[in-house]
């Protein structure tokens, strides 16, 4: 029991939260009821984050939740209303950048409680479909022109004529918004509201409806609606002008200039609260400014106007055709085949000329759906096509125009709608050829199915060839990793190759040094052998030891000689180092080995012969001493 009472108190607190915050803004000090009502509804719009939802996104949410197939008087419960509101805010968070995400749960709670308080004051727990559409279409963001066009599509017949009973129903629903913010005495519904908007009972078409509601001034019961949109446009407008009452050096929002007092200007806060100073009075006529123009710009404009150079003003709004546009006929389009990937679905539909799945869902018509609503969406699609080429964003000038908020799906829809319109204009289909067109469509479906199957087979073949190519182009080490024995043998062979190369380099250097030493020894032996034949025996005290010659390094090789030439080396040794086209390292080693062998043999023989001569001389000298 305690838990239920606590839950009931929390629910009541959530319902009162929005109104408590609005009361804290102290809007009631604004003396003019029109501005007071517009400020309150603008606060509710921003607090519920409805200013971030464009009218076209709202229409999309209506169609996604099936409201276009329901009659206006159908009642929906609070649970389904919460589902509709949830889809609106979740889709909004998908479009917003990650740094500007909103609190979905809080927005749902605030908007749901406000709608229940405004449209279900008796507590039945149900709202009509028309109430939901009228409230959300009025309080969402976007241009007022687009909102009024959508509202007219809901209150007109198939011929584009406004139904007065539906317009009266619309006024009942939309005037519940001022009543919900405690402005019912000023803008409550009366039985004469329709006559104040359209005093003459005649045929009302779209352009007359727009001219009446967007006139200056608009009908008294709806005067707060265009003012709420003007408030949204001037929130960030800066005026470098001093307020004549509060002496603030600059103004934000509206600026009001007195038509009687010279250079007397008030900011919107002072004007709304009725402040006045000096000779100025609240009874004076004030002009509202929503932008700032420098004196130089005003002077140039006045001169151009006096000289007749100012171009004629464009009409305040575009003129629309009186007859509603016919919905697009998508019966001859091949239905899209199911795909697992959304990106593949988009590419396939664009390439094949079929509509996107979202477009097919939006274009599905039911007997109860109005043709005007569909025609309105088709017209917006055409506008999107023109807007994406230049501004690359929404055609609306609201916050939704940021480049990060670009909806790719709408661009695809615009492109496809333009293609369908071009085909319908160039090749009209007579109604008498329905049987022939059905057969042709059947043949086209079969042909497209065959082409899709062939395309699928080609893609599979391309994938298979790509895999084979990747496997064939793998490097050798990756293949060797599959055979550990082969990889080990390959590593051992590389190590053995490196060792042999190092050994070969060492042998070649040793051979070079040895050749030089041997050549020096041979010269010394030859010189000593030639000298010993002419020398006296009395001087022979022994043969001097050969002195080794230092090997010539690679850096000391003369630059004008061959790379392998050695100075002072001749004979077979020089031949071993002579470069040639038909010689190789093996032949050089063989020649060097032969030269070393011959040289060592001759050296040993000479040493033996020298020792024998020394022994003979020693014996002769010993014998001579013995005889003496």
């Amino acid at each position: 029991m305690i838990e239920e009472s606590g839950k009931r108190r929390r629910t009541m607190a959530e319902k009162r939260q929005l109104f408590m915050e609005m009361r804290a803004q102290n809007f009631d000090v604004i003396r003019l009821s029109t501005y007071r009502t517009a400020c309150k509804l603008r606060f509710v719009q921003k607090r519920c984050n409805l200013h971030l939802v464009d009218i076209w996104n709202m229409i999309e949410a209506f169609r996604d939740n099936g409201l276009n197939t329901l009659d206006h008087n159908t009642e929906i419960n609070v649970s389904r209303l919460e589902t509709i509101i949830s889809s609106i805010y979740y889709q909004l968070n998908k479009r917003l950048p990650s740094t500007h995400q909103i609190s979905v749960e809080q927005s749902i709670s605030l908007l749901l409680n406000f709608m229940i308080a405004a449209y279900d004051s008796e507590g039945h727990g149900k709202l009509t479909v028309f109430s939901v559409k009228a409230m959300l279409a009025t309080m969402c963001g976007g241009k007022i022109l687009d909102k009024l066009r959508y509202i007219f599509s809901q209150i007109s017949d198939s011929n584009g004529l406004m139904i007065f009973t539906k317009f009266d129903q619309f006024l009942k629903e939309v005037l519940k918004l001022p009543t919900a913010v405690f402005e019912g005495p000023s803008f409550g519904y009366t039985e004469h509201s329709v006559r104040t908007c359209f005093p003459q009972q005649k045929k009302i078409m779209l352009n007359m409806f727009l001219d009446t509601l967007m006139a200056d001034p608009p009908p008294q019961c709806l005067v707060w609606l265009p003012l709420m949109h003007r408030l949204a446009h001037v929130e960030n407008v800066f005026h470098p002008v001093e307020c004549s009452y509060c002496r603030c050096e600059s103004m934000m929002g509206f600026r009001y200039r007195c038509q009687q007092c010279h250079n007397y200007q008030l900011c919107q806060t002072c004007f709304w609260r009725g402040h006045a100073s000096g000779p100025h009075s609240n009874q004076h006529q004030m002009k509202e400014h929503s932008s700032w123009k420098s004196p130089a710009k005003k002077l140039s404009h006045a001169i151009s106007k006096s000289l007749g150079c100012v171009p004629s003003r464009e009409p305040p709004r575009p003129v629309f055709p009186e007859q509603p546009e016919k919905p697009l006929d998508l019966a001859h389009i091949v239905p899209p085949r199911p795909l697992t990937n959304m990106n593949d679905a988009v590419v396939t539909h664009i390439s094949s000329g079929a509509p996107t799945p979202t477009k097919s869902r939006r274009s599905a018509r039911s007997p109860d759906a109005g043709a005007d609503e569909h025609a309105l969406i088709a017209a917006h699609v055409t506008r999107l096509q023109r807007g994406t080429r230049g501004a690359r964003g929404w055609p609306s000038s609201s916050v939704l125009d940021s480049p990060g908020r670009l909806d790719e799906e709408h661009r695809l829809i615009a492109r496809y709608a333009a293609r369908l319109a071009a085909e319908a204009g160039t090749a009209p289909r007579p109604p008498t050829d329905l049987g022939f067109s059905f057969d042709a469509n059947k043949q086209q479906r079969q042909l497209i199915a065959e082409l899709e199957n062939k395309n699928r087979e080609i893609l599979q073949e391309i994938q298979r060839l790509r895999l084979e190519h990747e496997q064939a182009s793998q490097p050798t080490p990756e293949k060797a990793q599959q055979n550990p024995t082969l990889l080990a043998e390959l590593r051992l062979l590389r190590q053995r190759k490196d060792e042999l190369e190092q050994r070969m380099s060492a042998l070649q250097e040793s051979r070079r040094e040895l050749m030089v030493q041997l050549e020096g020894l041979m010269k010394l032996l030859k010189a000593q052998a030639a000298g010993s034949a002419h020398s006296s025996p009395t001087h022979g005290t022994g043969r001097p030891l050969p002195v080794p010659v230092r090997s010539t390094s690679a850096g000391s090789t003369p630059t004008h000689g061959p790379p392998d030439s050695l100075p002072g080396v001749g004979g077979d040794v020089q031949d071993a180092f002579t470069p040639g086209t038909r010689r190789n390292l093996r032949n050089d080693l063989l020649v060097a080995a032969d030269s070393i062998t011959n040289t060592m043999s001759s050296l040993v023989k000479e040493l033996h012969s020298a020792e024998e001569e020394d022994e003979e001389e020693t014996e002769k000298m010993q014998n001579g001493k013995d005889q003496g």
Side-chain angles (χ1 to χ4, degrees):
M1 192 71 175
I2 299 176
E3 294 181 357
E4 293 180 358
S5 61
K7 185 177 180 181
R8 192 180 302 109
R9 284 196 299 269
R10 286 194 300 270
T11 304
M12 294 300 297
E14 291 178 356
K15 290 182 179 180
R16 292 195 299 264
Q17 178 183 356
L18 183 62
F19 297 100
M20 293 173 62
E21 294 179 0
M22 183 178 64
R23 187 168 299 171
Q25 298 295 322
N26 199 18
F27 291 121
D28 290 331
V29 300
I30 301 177
R31 63 187 182 94
L32 300 176
S33 61
T34 304
Y35 287 95
R36 188 169 59 246
T37 305
C39 289
K40 289 181 178 180
L41 292 178
R42 175 62 179 170
F43 173 79
V44 173
Q45 183 189 47
K46 294 182 65 175
R47 190 65 183 86
C48 297
N49 290 313
L50 282 175
H51 66 294
L52 301 177
V53 183
D54 193 82
I55 178 62
W56 305 107
N57 300 127
M58 195 64 72
I59 296 174
E60 181 181 9
F62 293 159
R63 301 183 71 84
D64 289 342
N65 289 276
L67 295 186
N68 62 312
T69 62
L70 300 177
D71 186 76
H72 285 171
N73 296 323
T74 303
E75 293 183 344
I76 58 176
N77 54 21
V78 177
S79 177
R80 184 168 183 182
L81 177 61
E82 186 176 2
T83 303
I84 297 171
I85 297 175
S86 302
S87 66
I88 293 172
Y89 285 118
Y90 280 114
Q91 291 297 326
L92 172 62
N93 254 358
K94 291 181 181 180
R95 295 189 298 269
L96 290 176
S98 58
T99 55
H100 294 76
Q101 297 287 301
I102 65 171
S103 176
V104 175
E105 298 298 332
Q106 185 181 16
S107 301
I108 293 173
S109 176
L110 292 175
L111 181 57
L112 182 63
N113 290 325
F114 178 76
M115 293 184 67
I116 293 175
Y119 293 94
D120 188 29
S121 58
E122 298 180 359
H124 296 301
K126 293 183 179 182
L127 281 77
T128 64
V129 172
F130 191 71
S131 300
V132 175
K133 286 186 176 182
M135 185 273 172
L136 294 178
T138 304
M139 294 295 294
C140 69
K143 294 182 178 180
I144 185 174
L145 180 65
D146 297 332
K147 292 183 179 181
L148 295 178
R149 289 178 60 201
Y150 172 73
I151 291 170
F152 186 80
S153 68
Q154 300 296 304
I155 61 175
S156 59
D157 57 11
S158 59
N159 296 322
L161 293 176
M162 188 186 75
I163 304 174
F164 280 90
T165 55
K166 288 189 175 182
F167 178 69
D168 183 67
Q169 184 182 2
F170 165 72
L171 287 181
K172 287 181 181 179
E173 302 298 338
V174 77
L175 291 180
K176 290 180 181 179
L177 295 174
T179 305
V181 293
F182 314 108
E183 296 296 333
S186 301
F187 299 102
Y189 172 78
T190 61
E191 297 179 356
H192 306 285
S193 299
V194 179
R195 281 191 283 249
T196 58
C197 296
F198 302 99
Q200 298 178 359
Q201 300 292 333
K202 60 180 181 179
K203 296 181 179 180
I204 306 298
M205 307 293 286
L206 173 61
N207 291 302
M208 185 180 298
F209 177 80
L210 297 177
D211 291 338
T212 302
L213 297 188
M214 296 183 65
D216 189 17
Q220 182 60 31
C221 60
L222 296 174
V223 69
W224 52 269
L225 182 58
L227 180 59
M228 186 177 69
H229 286 80
R230 293 206 308 272
L231 282 174
H233 292 157
V234 301
E235 283 181 348
N236 299 320
V237 174
F238 176 76
H239 304 270
V241 180
E242 181 182 5
C243 179
S244 300
Y245 181 83
C246 65
R247 299 301 176 184
C248 182
E249 296 181 354
S250 60
M251 304 179 189
M252 294 293 292
F254 286 119
R255 174 171 56 92
Y256 297 89
R257 185 183 184 93
C258 182
Q259 300 298 297
Q260 299 181 18
C261 303
H262 175 68
N263 200 22
Y264 191 89
Q265 304 186 71
L266 293 177
C267 62
Q268 66 178 17
T269 302
C270 295
F271 175 74
W272 289 352
R273 283 158 176 78
H275 295 160
S277 61
H280 178 72
S281 172
N282 290 331
Q283 304 301 324
H284 292 180
Q285 185 179 3
M286 303 290 288
K287 185 176 181 180
E288 183 181 90
H289 295 273
S290 58
S291 62
W292 164 255
K293 291 183 180 180
S294 62
K297 197 170 185 180
K298 291 181 180 178
L299 179 61
S300 63
H301 180 75
I303 294 174
S304 301
K305 187 176 181 180
S306 63
L307 297 177
C309 300
V310 179
S312 59
R313 288 188 177 182
E314 297 181 357
R317 62 167 186 83
V319 179
F320 300 97
E322 298 293 350
Q323 295 295 330
E325 299 180 7
K326 295 182 180 180
L328 300 176
D329 184 13
L330 305 180
H332 64 285
I333 301 301
V334 180
R337 59 187 178 89
L339 293 175
T340 57
N341 193 346
M342 187 61 189
N343 295 330
D344 297 338
V346 173
V347 173
T348 304
H349 284 293
I350 294 175
S351 60
S352 63
T356 59
T358 307
K359 179 63 183 176
S360 300
R361 183 181 67 247
R362 295 176 189 170
S363 300
R365 300 296 298 170
S366 63
D368 297 332
D372 295 336
E373 179 179 351
H374 194 100
L376 190 61
I377 297 176
H380 173 62
V381 163
T382 307
R383 290 180 54 196
L384 281 178
Q385 182 193 14
R386 296 194 298 266
T388 51
R389 297 178 181 174
R392 294 187 59 81
W394 287 94
S396 175
S397 59
S398 63
V399 185
L400 301 174
D401 286 304
S402 59
R405 304 282 306 282
L406 182 61
D407 197 342
E408 188 67 19
E409 180 182 348
H410 280 243
R411 296 201 310 169
L412 298 176
I413 295 173
R415 190 182 310 165
Y416 175 67
R419 186 185 305 169
L420 285 179
E423 292 177 357
T426 55
R429 298 179 52 183
T432 56
D433 297 333
L434 292 178
F436 175 75
S437 62
F438 178 78
D439 296 337
N441 290 335
K442 185 176 180 180
Q443 295 176 1
Q444 290 177 1
R445 292 191 186 95
Q446 294 177 355
L447 180 60
I448 291 175
E450 294 176 359
L451 292 176
E452 287 180 350
N453 294 331
K454 186 170 294 185
N455 186 28
R456 194 180 301 109
E457 294 176 359
I458 293 174
L459 291 176
Q460 293 176 357
E461 183 68 18
I462 291 174
Q463 186 68 18
R464 185 183 62 80
L465 293 176
R466 185 181 291 113
L467 292 176
E468 292 181 358
H469 178 69
E470 292 177 356
Q471 293 177 359
S473 61
Q474 289 180 353
T476 305
E478 295 182 359
K479 294 182 179 180
Q481 289 178 359
Q482 301 175 0
N483 192 350
T485 305
L486 182 61
L487 182 62
E489 292 179 357
L490 181 61
R491 189 180 296 109
L492 291 175
L493 288 175
R494 288 180 178 176
Q495 294 178 357
R496 183 62 178 168
K497 177 184 177 184
D498 295 338
E499 293 175 359
L500 290 176
E501 290 179 353
Q502 294 177 1
R503 182 64 178 166
M504 191 67 68
S505 300
L507 289 175
Q508 188 174 2
E509 187 65 26
S510 301
R511 178 183 65 117
R512 189 189 300 265
E513 296 178 358
L514 186 58
M515 292 301 101
V516 174
Q517 294 178 6
L518 290 176
E519 188 68 20
L521 290 175
M522 290 175 65
K523 289 182 179 181
L524 289 175
L525 290 175
K526 289 180 181 179
Q528 190 172 5
S532 63
H534 301 285
S535 62
S536 174
T538 58
H539 298 99
T541 59
R543 188 177 298 276
L545 294 176
V547 180
V549 181
R550 183 176 62 87
S551 63
T552 306
S553 62
S556 62
T557 304
T559 56
H560 59 276
D564 291 336
S565 64
L566 297 173
V569 180
D572 294 336
V573 180
Q574 181 66 32
D575 293 339
F577 289 92
T578 302
T581 57
R582 296 184 180 180
R583 305 180 65 88
N584 52 23
L585 184 57
R586 180 179 178 184
N587 295 334
D588 293 344
L589 290 176
L590 293 176
V591 172
D594 294 340
S595 300
I596 292 171
T597 304
N598 296 332
T599 305
M600 293 298 292
S601 299
S602 60
L603 180 59
V604 170
K605 289 180 181 180
E606 291 181 1
L607 289 175
H608 282 299
S609 61
E611 290 177 358
E612 290 176 356
E613 290 177 358
D614 291 340
E615 291 177 357
E616 290 178 357
E617 290 180 358
T618 303
E619 290 178 358
K620 289 180 181 180
M621 292 178 64
Q622 188 67 30
N623 292 332
K625 290 181 180 180
D626 293 339
Q627 290 178 2

